[in-house]
Amino acid sequence: MAVQGEWLRRFDTPGPAPRPGAETPRLICFPHAGGAASAFLPLARALAPELDVLAVQYPGRQDRRHERPVDDLGRLADALTGPVTDQTGPYALFGHSMGALLAYEVARRLAERSLPGPAALILSGRGAPSAAPARYDRLRTDEDILRVVRLLGGTTPRVLEDPELRDMVMPALRADYRAIGGYVWRPGPPLDMPFTVLVADADPVVGVAEAKAWGELTTAATTTRVFEGGHFFLDARLPQVAEAVTTALGSAGVGPLAAAERR
């Protein structure tokens, strides 16, 4: 995994490198609560070399484990706006769960500042934000957080049962759930890029109707893809998710499908 500045990470992937001078579209990925950049390694490998996948590394995990986690989603979005716009060429944003909110808020900030925005927004495992908090967002104790983490199934059970391992992951989880619990959606102009919404049919915290409501926040087209599985369906349905990403970028005029159509 290569460091791309303070916030972004690029993975070593199999296959040929992009052609010199070729403008490879980038997919910038935002992990879930408690997650790290490596959560997107399987997707990066599935999409290489047609898409250049970068993943956000939040403070307080992996190579940033000695940093204090950020517990405010607005501050995270502010901090990430610069690194996103530092990228050249066409790009899209992909966020899963908490990362979907963060990707959306980064896109809003880019629009507000008239900066080059993403060609598409891919929002996974999260319902559209609203004035009322979503289910399971405001968790007051470690026990509440662990109960929801077990419900979602994204963390290896032995990590949660081993006191030493649990103590290692709890600071990031606490900060991320404080960030989610303190997030207040503010109404504003809709975005103008296409949305692709990914949701699982057995997700215990996100219903399909809640996911489809993202379409109210853009003036462009919204496509909703429903997958079999639970909250963490990305790896279990990797080929289908990779196809959905490729299709989303192709429909937005970037990526391998768009290039094939131009030829």
Side-chain angles (χ1 to χ4, degrees):
M1 184 168 64
V3 175
Q4 300 291 308
E6 182 181 16
W7 288 93
L8 301 177
R9 304 292 178 266
R10 176 181 281 111
F11 304 104
D12 295 326
T13 53
R19 299 187 310 277
E23 196 174 66
T24 304
R26 288 187 171 90
L27 183 70
I28 302 175
C29 300
F30 298 74
H32 58 278
S38 60
F40 288 101
L41 174 59
L43 184 62
R45 289 177 171 169
L47 295 172
E50 286 80 10
L51 293 177
D52 181 15
V53 177
L54 300 174
V56 172
Q57 190 74 291
Y58 306 134
R61 55 217 84 189
Q62 292 186 336
D63 59 331
R64 302 186 71 183
R65 63 188 176 277
H66 298 302
E67 299 179 43
R68 185 184 182 90
V70 177
D71 62 0
D72 183 280
L73 197 136
R75 283 199 290 126
L76 278 172
D78 288 338
L80 282 159
T81 300
V84 166
T85 53
D86 285 344
Q87 305 304 308
T88 59
Y91 71 94
L93 303 182
F94 182 128
H96 182 69
S97 198
M98 180 187 83
L101 283 181
L102 190 51
Y104 166 71
E105 285 295 337
V106 169
R108 295 183 87 185
R109 283 158 172 74
L110 296 172
E112 289 166 359
R113 300 169 193 178
S114 299
L115 295 170
L121 206 55
I122 303 171
L123 304 155
S124 171
R126 178 80 196 189
S130 64
R135 289 177 294 172
Y136 303 108
D137 275 0
R138 295 185 175 173
L139 307 177
R140 300 186 182 279
T141 67
D142 285 359
E143 290 72 24
D144 290 338
I145 293 171
L146 291 170
R147 174 175 53 83
V148 171
V149 169
R150 291 187 179 98
L151 175 68
L152 298 179
T155 303
T156 305
R158 72 178 185 85
V159 172
L160 301 181
E161 303 308 326
D162 184 302
E164 291 186 8
L165 294 176
R166 188 171 62 243
D167 288 345
M168 290 174 62
V169 302
M170 283 308 300
L173 280 169
R174 290 188 197 106
D176 289 352
Y177 275 103
R178 280 197 298 269
I180 298 170
Y183 171 73
V184 178
W185 178 75
R186 51 187 175 82
L191 296 172
D192 64 357
M193 75 281 297
F195 286 6
T196 294
V197 179
L198 312 181
V199 63
D201 59 2
D203 191 318
V205 298
V206 184
V208 174
E210 295 168 288
K212 286 184 175 180
W214 278 108
E216 300 172 11
L217 303 181
T218 181
T219 59
T222 298
T223 301
T224 302
R225 301 283 297 268
V226 182
F227 298 84
E228 292 183 358
H231 190 70
F232 289 98
F233 63 91
L234 296 184
D235 288 347
R237 303 297 172 194
L238 182 60
Q240 296 95 325
V241 171
E243 182 273 328
V245 170
T246 302
T247 299
L249 269 67
S251 299
V254 298
L257 288 183
E261 290 177 1
R262 288 194 294 270
R263 289 197 296 269

